[in-house]
């Protein structure tokens, strides 16, 4: 008989999912058969596999040693890259990281190395997660474009991933960005429109009226400081569509400085020569959490900010006369 004690990181998933990860060589039909025959039990009782697991639950598997070993997953030991993460906040549930520009949030191809792999490496080396011993895999919850810097939230447990997903979907987790844009922007604005993505070119198009295949978007912003040729904007991202801020601002004639996809080529060349700007000056600056229940009460009503990277601060100081907000 084998006994599995459900860890906090594994809580929240269905029994069949955990069994599938532990007995990867067994078919789904075999697992259901073992559940019906009570060869697999949950907390000493018969289970049907749909039960949501809690930390401390006991799963007993009454199979011979030979059968168990036959079906048990045997994956090669994983290794994870190491990086000096800029951790803004950490508790037993989540990790908030200030992602540098140039780093992917998650892989786009098998060969990529992203923040997700660096985060897993950090959890392994700090003894918070052991690949192969736990069915649950921590993950990045929110994403930023490769060349956008700033705050990314990561879930260290299954309940955390589920709760963060709910907050992002309901827009209860408020996200604010800083960006330098071309031209003078006068007064706060709320932009509404429609965004349609072309997956082949990885570009989006903005429309003022509804279009087939387009999704509604809302972007709010206010100028914090202006110069003769640029404006520092604080942007509140209401909806979170791909490239939303960059494309939406470009559509009204105020592209983000350094943005090679939606920006102004001549303007970008000017800022590259003058300040060395080689990517879009867009930074996920602040997150504000709503009132939260346990086990997330440590986050209740809290806000977190990420320091600006050097290239952004350098250009902002030269253009606006300030180096921090």
């Amino acid at each position: 008989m084998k006994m599995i004690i459900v860890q906090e990181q594994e809580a929240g998933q269905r029994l069949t999912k955990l069994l599938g990860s532990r007995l990867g060589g067994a078919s789904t039909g075999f697992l259901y058969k073992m559940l019906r025959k009570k060869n697999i039990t949950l907390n000493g009782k018969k289970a049907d596999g749909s039960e949501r697991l809690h930390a401390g639950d006991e799963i007993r598997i009454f199979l011979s040693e030979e059968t168990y070993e036959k079906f048990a997953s045997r994956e090669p030991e994983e290794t994870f890259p190491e990086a000096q993460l800029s951790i803004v906040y950490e508790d037993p549930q989540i990790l908030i990281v200030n992602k540098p520009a140039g780093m992917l949030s998650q892989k786009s191809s098998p060969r990529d190395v992203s923040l997700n792999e660096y985060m897993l490496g950090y959890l392994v080396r700090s003894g918070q997660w052991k690949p192969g011993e736990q069915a649950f895999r921590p993950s990045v919850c929110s994403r930023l474009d490769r060349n956008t810097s700033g705050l990314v939230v990561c879930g260290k447990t299954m309940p955390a991933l589920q709760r963060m997903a709910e907050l992002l979907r309901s827009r209860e987790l408020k996200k604010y960005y800083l960006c330098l844009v071309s031209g003078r922007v006068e007064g706060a604005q709320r932009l509404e429109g429609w965004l349609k993505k072309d997956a082949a070119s990885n570009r989006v198009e903005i429309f003022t009226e509804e279009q087939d295949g387009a999704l509604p978007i809302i972007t709010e912003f206010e100028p914090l400081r202006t110069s003769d040729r640029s404006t520092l904007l604080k942007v509140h991202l209401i909806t979170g569509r791909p490239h939303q801020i960059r494309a939406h601002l470009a559509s009204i004639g105020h592209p983000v400085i350094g943005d090679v996809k939606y920006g102004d080529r001549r303007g970008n060349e000017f800022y590259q020569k003058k300040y060395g700007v080689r990517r879009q000056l867009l930074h996920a600056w602040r997150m504000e959490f709503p009132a939260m229940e346990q086990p997330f009460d440590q986050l209740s009503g809290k806000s977190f900010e990420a320091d600006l990277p050097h290239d952004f601060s350098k250009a902002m100081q030269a253009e606006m006369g300030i180096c921090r907000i």
Side-chain angles (χ1 to χ4, degrees):
M1 187 270 290
K2 296 282 186 180
M3 184 168 71
I4 299 171
I5 305 296
V6 177
Q7 302 301 305
E8 183 179 359
Q9 294 94 330
E10 301 170 308
Q13 62 185 307
R14 288 187 174 87
L15 173 58
T16 49
K17 183 175 181 180
L18 184 143
L19 289 172
S21 66
R22 296 298 181 94
L23 298 171
S27 67
T28 303
F30 176 81
L31 295 177
Y32 279 119
K33 181 180 179 180
M34 293 300 99
L35 288 165
R36 288 196 302 271
K37 296 179 68 173
K38 294 184 68 174
N39 286 339
I40 301 176
T41 63
L42 177 62
N43 297 324
K45 299 178 181 179
K46 185 176 181 179
D48 63 18
S50 65
E51 294 82 1
R52 292 283 181 179
L53 298 175
H54 300 86
D57 281 350
E58 295 181 358
I59 302 167
R60 287 183 167 86
I61 303 175
F62 297 93
L63 298 175
S64 68
E65 189 74 23
E66 181 181 358
T67 302
Y68 185 89
E69 291 298 324
K70 174 185 175 183
F71 291 133
S73 300
R74 293 293 183 186
E75 297 182 356
E77 184 177 346
E78 287 186 273
T79 58
F80 298 95
E82 185 172 358
Q84 187 64 44
L85 296 179
S86 176
I87 297 174
V88 176
Y89 173 81
E90 183 175 10
D91 67 24
Q93 298 291 332
I94 73 164
L95 188 69
I96 300 177
V97 179
N98 184 1
K99 183 189 82 67
M103 181 185 290
L104 288 167
S105 297
Q106 290 188 316
K107 287 184 176 185
S108 57
S109 69
R111 293 185 178 182
D112 289 336
V113 178
S114 70
L115 173 61
N116 204 67
E117 284 70 56
Y118 291 125
M119 178 269 301
L120 290 173
Y122 165 76
L123 294 179
V124 169
R125 283 182 281 275
S126 60
Q128 299 183 66
W129 179 66
K130 295 181 179 180
E133 293 188 16
Q134 297 171 359
F136 169 74
R137 192 178 185 90
S139 177
V140 166
C141 303
S142 57
R143 298 187 185 188
L144 296 175
D145 294 335
R146 180 197 288 267
N147 288 318
T148 297
S149 56
L151 295 176
V152 176
V153 61
C154 311
K156 295 164 65 174
T157 69
M158 177 65 78
L161 278 181
Q162 294 170 335
R163 190 69 180 101
M164 294 304 110
E166 290 174 3
L167 292 179
L168 291 166
R169 186 169 52 250
S170 67
R171 305 172 191 166
E172 293 177 87
L173 176 56
K174 298 187 183 300
K175 298 184 293 181
Y176 297 89
Y177 292 69
L178 295 176
C179 60
L180 277 179
V181 301
S182 296
R184 292 180 63 91
V185 179
E186 304 291 347
Q189 297 184 44
R190 176 185 173 96
L191 297 181
E192 298 189 21
W194 299 83
L195 178 149
K196 187 173 184 179
K197 183 176 182 179
D198 180 354
S201 64
N202 192 30
R203 289 181 61 92
V204 302
E205 190 173 359
I206 304 297
F207 301 93
T208 56
E209 297 181 352
E210 186 173 0
Q211 303 283 327
D212 289 341
L215 298 171
I217 55 171
I218 304 174
T219 310
E220 294 180 345
F221 58 86
E222 62 174 300
L224 299 181
R225 190 70 67 93
T226 60
S227 70
D228 291 338
R229 57 175 169 252
S230 62
T231 303
L232 174 65
L233 290 183
K234 175 184 174 182
V235 181
H236 182 196
L237 191 60
I238 307 298
T239 55
R241 312 298 187 194
H243 304 180
Q244 178 180 324
I245 294 175
R246 296 159 59 192
H248 217 174
L249 290 173
S251 74
I252 61 168
H254 296 290
V256 176
I257 290 171
D259 188 351
V260 297
K261 185 162 286 190
Y262 304 102
D264 174 65
R265 183 177 60 83
R266 289 185 179 179
N268 289 341
E269 289 175 353
F270 171 83
Y271 286 102
Q272 181 177 338
K273 290 178 181 178
K274 194 170 183 66
Y275 307 125
V277 174
R278 298 181 182 276
R279 56 97 185 184
Q280 67 259 15
L281 295 183
L282 177 62
H283 181 69
W285 171 57
R286 183 180 175 93
M287 283 184 176
E288 295 180 357
F289 286 84
M292 303 281 284
E293 69 291 341
Q294 290 185 343
F296 308 104
D297 50 314
Q298 297 179 77
L299 291 167
S300 191
K302 285 189 176 180
S303 61
F304 303 95
E305 294 180 0
D307 291 338
L308 287 169
H310 175 72
D311 59 348
F312 197 128
S313 294
K314 179 182 177 181
M316 185 174 70
Q317 184 173 25
E319 288 286 297
M320 312 293 169
I322 57 174
C323 58
R324 64 178 59 190
I325 300 302

